[in-house]
Amino acid sequence: MTKFYEKKPYVEQHGSPIKAGDKDYDLVYFRWQISDICQYECSYCTVQNDATVEFKRPVIDLVLKRLSMYDGPFQLEMFGGEPTTHPDLVYAVEQLTKMENCVKIEILTNLRRSLDYFRKLDIPGGKVFVTPSYHPEYHKWGYLEKCIELDKTYKHSKLVPYIMLSDRQDFWDVTEEVINGLEENNVSHETTTLISTEDYKVQYTDEFYERFGDRIITNDIYSVYYEFQDGHKERVPYHSVIHEEMVYFKGYKCKPLMHDIDLVGNFSNTCFPEDYLGIFLKKEELTKQRICPNNCCQCDVMYDYYKEL
């Protein structure tokens, strides 16, 4: 069977995409940077960890108040820095789980803090997803052991380990060790390749794909609808979307559903950061179709947003 990274690219077969994503998808996504402090300094990190924020409970309460007043359903991602460095993270998550319009809370963490701390995030309601990212540059901090333990003990929250596959060969053995350990303990997990940044240019080799190609997510549940110039229509798996870089939609009409919440509680649209959203967040305003001003989609959440020429 031909591997996804050996196939002739979709664009070479069918021409450029003319449509992509789910036409009926309108679930607003908030990204809340709750801290800019992190214990790690990963070479490929896309976030500035400046450690400038002064933690204040009123900022948390203001954000929660505005979210509770939004007139539609939403999901929310909490990140940093490292979000668990904020003293009010658990409090904020508890309040979010009580909001009927909040359907999912995802906490992106490096899992550096203690098991006792992460047990506090096992909060009733089934809305909380703890997503610990594995960073091979910091392998020594017991990531695998913590994942296995939390997967066994969580009763309400869902643990979703996220393995960062490095292009550096000197990290491949420890990364494979972690993946094997998760599989041996039946811990469901996801894997991803890195994205180049201004300071780190990713260079995956044929040797990398020979070793890890089958371990990159290949489940067709993770797929995106595409329609191409020649009329071909297909749900394309995420791994092919990423590998073939089919994420460039500047000038397309799109629903920009992702919104950012910064360290001091300001809200903005991720794709239109200069636009003022107003105090009261309205679904009609946050889900309207606009012309994409950016070169590409920044993350896989955006792949489902409907786009058309």
Side-chain angles (χ1 to χ4, degrees), residues 201-253:
K201 301 304 178 185
V202 175
Q203 296 181 334
Y204 288 108
T205 61
D206 290 342
E207 187 177 0
F208 167 83
Y209 285 110
E210 288 173 4
R211 184 163 180 177
F212 289 99
D214 290 336
R215 293 190 131 148
I216 298 172
I217 296 171
T218 55
N219 190 332
D220 286 342
I221 292 176
Y222 298 96
S223 62
V224 186
Y225 174 81
Y226 276 81
E227 184 174 333
F228 297 89
Q229 284 177 317
D230 69 351
H232 179 76
K233 303 174 184 179
E234 183 177 339
R235 292 201 67 86
V236 179
Y238 270 19
H239 52 72
S240 290
V241 172
I242 296 169
H243 181 65
E244 299 182 25
E245 297 185 332
M246 293 194 294
V247 295
Y248 292 88
F249 295 103
K250 187 173 184 177
Y252 286 63
K253 290 184 287 186

Side-chain angles (χ1 to χ4, degrees), residues 43 84 165 171 269 276 301:
S43 58
T84 62
L165 298 175
F171 291 131
N269 185 283
Y276 177 67
V301 175

Side-chain angles (χ1 to χ4, degrees), residues 173-190:
D173 286 346
V174 292
T175 300
E176 201 160 48
E177 176 186 318
V178 169
I179 295 174
N180 288 339
L182 293 172
E183 291 177 348
E184 289 166 4
N185 287 274
N186 299 313
V187 180
S188 298
H189 59 281
E190 299 182 6

Side-chain angles (χ1 to χ4, degrees), residues 7-251:
K7 293 180 179 179
K8 185 177 181 180
Y10 281 89
V11 172
E12 290 185 17
Q13 296 183 66
H14 308 294
S16 299
I18 59 172
K19 295 180 182 179
D22 184 346
K23 193 169 187 177
D24 297 322
Y25 189 85
D26 64 358
L27 182 61
V28 166
Y29 192 101
F30 291 106
R31 298 193 310 171
W32 187 357
Q33 185 178 11
I34 197 169
S35 171
D36 65 349
I37 297 171
C38 186
Q39 309 96 327
Y40 296 168
E41 294 183 358
C42 297
S43 58
Y44 46 80
C45 187
T46 59
V47 179
Q48 292 292 323
N49 298 310
D50 298 323
T52 59
V53 68
E54 182 180 352
F55 297 132
K56 295 180 179 180
R57 173 66 70 87
V59 172
I60 299 295
D61 288 331
L62 175 63
V63 170
L64 293 171
K65 182 66 174 178
R66 292 188 69 184
L67 290 171
S68 70
M69 296 169 64
Y70 174 59
D71 62 349
F74 68 89
Q75 59 180 327
L76 182 139
E77 166 192 308
M78 306 182 84
F79 71 102
E82 165 56 35
T84 62
T85 59
H86 197 296
D88 291 319
L89 175 72
V90 175
Y91 162 78
V93 176
E94 289 174 339
Q95 301 310 307
L96 286 164
T97 61
K98 298 174 184 178
M99 297 182 192
E100 292 187 7
N101 57 339
C102 180
V103 300
K104 180 180 178 180
I105 306 128
E106 184 174 13
I107 305 164
L108 306 185
T109 175
N110 58 27
L111 212 64
R112 177 70 181 270
R113 294 197 63 170
S114 69
L115 282 170
D116 285 342
Y117 177 87
F118 284 101
R119 290 188 181 106
K120 296 177 183 177
L121 291 171
D122 189 23
I123 300 170
K127 296 181 179 182
V128 179
F129 287 69
V130 177
T131 305
S133 297
Y134 170 69
H135 302 281
E137 294 176 5
Y138 294 89
H139 175 78
K140 64 181 181 180
W141 293 107
Y143 176 91
L144 175 61
E145 293 76 12
K146 288 180 179 177
C147 284
I148 293 170
E149 180 62 24
L150 291 173
D151 185 70
K152 290 179 180 178
T153 58
Y154 271 1
K155 296 180 180 179
H156 310 289
S157 298
K158 173 68 174 177
L159 186 81
V160 187
Y162 205 66
I163 310 302
M164 314 296 284
L165 298 175
S166 176
D167 58 336
R168 288 178 49 183
Q169 190 170 1
D170 50 327
F171 291 131
W172 292 356
D173 286 346
V174 292
T175 300
E176 201 160 48
E177 176 186 318
V178 169
I179 295 174
N180 288 339
L182 293 172
E183 291 177 348
E184 289 166 4
N185 287 274
N186 299 313
V187 180
S188 298
H189 59 281
E190 299 182 6
T191 60
T192 186
T193 49
L194 304 178
I195 298 174
S196 292
T197 66
E198 290 185 6
D199 299 320
Y200 188 94
K201 301 304 178 185
V202 175
Q203 296 181 334
Y204 288 108
T205 61
D206 290 342
E207 187 177 0
F208 167 83
Y209 285 110
E210 288 173 4
R211 184 163 180 177
F212 289 99
D214 290 336
R215 293 190 131 148
I216 298 172
I217 296 171
T218 55
N219 190 332
D220 286 342
I221 292 176
Y222 298 96
S223 62
V224 186
Y225 174 81
Y226 276 81
E227 184 174 333
F228 297 89
Q229 284 177 317
D230 69 351
H232 179 76
K233 303 174 184 179
E234 183 177 339
R235 292 201 67 86
V236 179
Y238 270 19
H239 52 72
S240 290
V241 172
I242 296 169
H243 181 65
E244 299 182 25
E245 297 185 332
M246 293 194 294
V247 295
Y248 292 88
F249 295 103
K250 187 173 184 177

